[in-house]
Amino acid sequence: MAKPASAGAPTMRMVAAQAGVSAMTVSRVLHRDPGVRPETRERVLAAVDELGYRRNEIARSLRTGNTTGLLGLVITNLANPFHAQLALGAESVIAAHGMRVVLGNTGEDVQHERRLIDDFASRRVDGMIVVPAGSDHSHLRPDELADIPVVLAARPAAGVSLDTVLIDDFGGAHAATARLVEAGHRRVGFLGLSTSVWNINERFRGFTTALQEAGLKVNPRHVRRNRPEVAAAEKAARELLATTKPPTALFCANNLNTIGALRAIGAAGKATAAAATTAIAGFDDLDLADMLGVPLTLVSYDAQAIGRQAARMLLARLTHNQGKAAPPPQQTILPTRVVEYGATSG
């Protein structure tokens, strides 16, 4: 049934009449009360859709002190496909619970992160999922945020105990580097990000441990850090390929570094034999990896699963905040797997 032209904005009472229930039942459905029977819930939601009913969430929260239905998502690099996938995973769970995501990008700038989180808190978001930047996370303490629940994704916080979803950064990097060593590579270089990024440090630790277990030493001349963008990674890879006795393989700490290394090898491949025989292992999936025609080993995982799990943990915290006893902060570590494309022998 379409909304009558003269009716103006639909009201909760109109939804109740359409569904054949009371206004209180409509309110219970919109507040996700588990006590409402499924068939009743379906009738009410159908009436909401048919009438185009929308609650004025901000006005309602100001009147009642209840929730706004908004959750903040703070990421470090919107240009990185990893963060886009994480956001999609989080949004899929949050939307299924009738809530909405407000997105902010920090660019790995801690001060910008602080401003974003203060802004989200002032807008009365019900909770936040944060991929934290830097190493000072005191602004994420519950007492700093008026007990707005926060869940961390991809990186833990320093000095703050919060629910956290991680991937097996150390194990994935270790396994991928070990594959390069098993393929015969003895000079393996590293391309990565700043030492202030926790998960990149874990990946570097996995890289060095795999070499050490094989009786190999990390050559400092073959290590390049603080390469957050593709262009910087490409430049660093070109430098490595131009050294005396260049590495025969590179481990790249994230997908942007891997793309930079691939570009460097592609540009130099016809000019130098070293470039033509350089294998790459990288953390994160790449589109069309199977069609690139170069030896490539990737650490794969489900980035959307990180967002989904973080959203579930945040929703659980919101439930606890509504009266249930809250458990201590939880940490979930999601698995990785190594996928090989082409030959990797050195």
Side-chain angles (χ1 to χ4, degrees):
M1 179 185 297
K3 180 180 69 175
S6 60
T11 66
M12 187 177 292
R13 291 186 181 278
M14 292 169 62
V15 173
Q18 176 87 348
V21 299
S22 68
M24 179 60 72
T25 298
V26 174
S27 178
R28 290 174 63 198
V29 170
L30 296 177
H31 284 84
R32 301 177 296 280
D33 186 334
V36 179
R37 290 184 298 179
E39 58 270 24
T40 301
R41 184 184 306 279
E42 289 179 7
R43 289 208 314 276
V44 169
L45 293 178
V48 166
D49 289 340
E50 290 172 8
L51 295 175
Y53 174 70
R54 295 291 184 271
R55 292 180 294 173
N56 187 333
E57 296 285 359
I58 294 178
R60 183 175 63 84
S61 70
L62 292 174
R63 288 196 307 270
T64 67
N66 290 331
T67 64
T68 62
L70 299 176
L71 298 177
L73 174 58
V74 179
I75 61 175
T76 60
N77 187 356
L78 188 57
N80 190 327
F82 163 78
H83 293 282
Q85 292 299 310
L86 187 155
L88 286 171
E91 198 274 339
S92 68
V93 172
I94 290 167
H97 286 76
M99 307 179 81
R100 294 294 177 263
V101 173
V102 182
L103 180 66
N105 183 65
T106 68
E108 294 284 2
D109 184 330
V110 178
Q111 294 307 315
H112 185 44
E113 177 180 298
R114 288 174 179 268
R115 291 191 295 270
L116 269 176
I117 288 175
D118 285 345
D119 181 63
F120 283 176
S122 70
R123 294 174 186 273
R124 303 172 65 87
V125 297
D126 298 333
M128 300 184 217
I129 298 171
V130 179
V131 180
S135 56
D136 179 4
H137 304 126
S138 56
H139 56 289
L140 297 175
R141 294 200 312 264
D143 59 328
E144 292 285 333
L145 294 172
D147 292 324
I148 294 174
V150 173
V151 174
L152 303 178
R155 306 171 184 173
V160 185
S161 184
L162 297 167
D163 291 321
T164 307
V165 184
L166 305 173
I167 55 175
D168 186 7
D169 293 289
F170 172 86
H174 180 279
T177 305
R179 293 284 183 93
L180 294 175
V181 173
E182 291 167 2
H185 294 280
R186 294 297 177 264
R187 300 194 306 273
V188 184
F190 181 89
L191 289 178
L193 276 65
S194 168
T195 56
S196 67
V197 180
W198 179 89
N199 53 337
I200 301 301
N201 283 335
E202 281 296 285
R203 295 171 192 180
F204 185 68
R205 190 169 68 88
F207 164 79
T208 57
T209 300
L211 293 183
Q212 290 167 357
E213 289 176 352
L216 303 174
K217 293 182 179 180
V218 177
N219 186 340
R221 296 190 304 110
H222 292 164
V223 174
R224 297 290 188 276
R225 305 293 297 264
N226 201 25
R227 301 297 191 271
E229 304 297 340
V230 171
E234 180 181 356
K235 182 175 182 292
R238 286 175 181 265
E239 293 171 355
L240 288 174
L241 293 175
T243 59
T244 304
K245 290 188 176 180
T248 63
L250 297 175
F251 177 83
C252 304
N254 75 350
N255 49 5
L256 300 184
N257 278 266
T258 302
I259 293 170
L262 286 168
R263 287 182 176 176
I265 291 172
K270 294 182 179 179
T272 66
T277 59
T278 302
I280 295 179
F283 218 102
D284 302 328
D285 289 306
L286 288 181
D287 290 339
L288 305 179
D290 58 332
M291 300 178 66
L292 295 175
V294 297
L296 188 59
T297 301
L298 295 180
V299 180
S300 177
Y301 56 90
D302 187 348
Q304 288 198 28
I306 301 172
R308 290 193 298 269
Q309 179 61 18
R312 293 187 194 105
M313 295 172 85
L314 184 55
L315 292 170
R317 283 291 164 189
L318 292 173
T319 300
H320 297 318
N321 281 2
Q322 293 172 1
K324 297 182 180 180
Q330 307 292 312
Q331 183 180 95
T332 300
I333 300 178
L334 301 179
T336 61
R337 64 190 182 94
V338 175
V339 182
E340 294 184 344
Y341 302 93
T344 58
S345 59

